[in-house]
Amino acid sequence: MRLFAALVPPDEVLDEISRAIAPHVGQVPGLRWPDRAGWHITLGFFGEVPEEVLPEMEVRLARAVRRHPALDLAFEGFGGFSSLRRARVFWIGVTGDSMTRLADSVKAGARRAGATQTDEKRFHPHLTLARAKVETDLRPLVESLSGFSGSPWRAERVHLVRSYPGPHVRYESLAEWALAPAERG
């Protein structure tokens, strides 16, 4: 099974992003815009995980998630990987509470459960909006969206998601866990 842990933003916040990018969808040659139903913020990618590892992974991820408070977040700033000039991924950034410790915890829990392909790249909180097979200059697109700032929202749950690769990638949430109540100052 191909698995990852993710935050799933609320529909009203995704509606704002959809409205902002709508005039650009289909306008940049080579960009493929996946179905909004699959939009998520990946905390940790675990790769192919044997089915027998799943029960232990669920226990360890539940434990890891409970140790972290809910996160106050917002979407802001568009970009591209690996660079705007030569991008294969178009994304929107996430601001607010840091997700790095939570991401590190879920990746560590997955590794301890037996996920051997856990991604070790530096965590960069984002939501992928489009992909390209060849490097694409996204500078004009990002410039045209520079005024966008999304409404604040609270991430309260982490999902364990199974990915079904293919021409039309599909996702299935296998489990989800609540983050601890947000700390108040």
Side-chain angles (χ1 to χ4, degrees), residues 1-4 45-49 161-165:
M1 294 184 290
R2 195 174 164 94
L3 301 177
F4 62 90
F45 179 74
F46 312 137
E48 290 294 329
V49 176
V161 182
R162 181 174 184 181
S163 171
Y164 296 89

Side-chain angles (χ1 to χ4, degrees), residues 127-143:
L127 186 147
T128 297
L129 298 170
R131 296 182 182 278
K133 287 187 191 265
V134 298
E135 292 178 342
T136 304
D137 187 349
L138 296 181
R139 291 175 297 177
L141 175 60
V142 169
E143 177 62 30

Side-chain angles (χ1 to χ4, degrees), residues 28-29 32 46 84 89 96 101-104 107-108 113 134 162 165:
V28 179
R32 297 180 326 271
F46 312 137
L84 277 183
V89 174
R101 289 184 58 230
L102 173 59
D104 290 345
K107 288 191 277 191
V134 298
R162 181 174 184 181

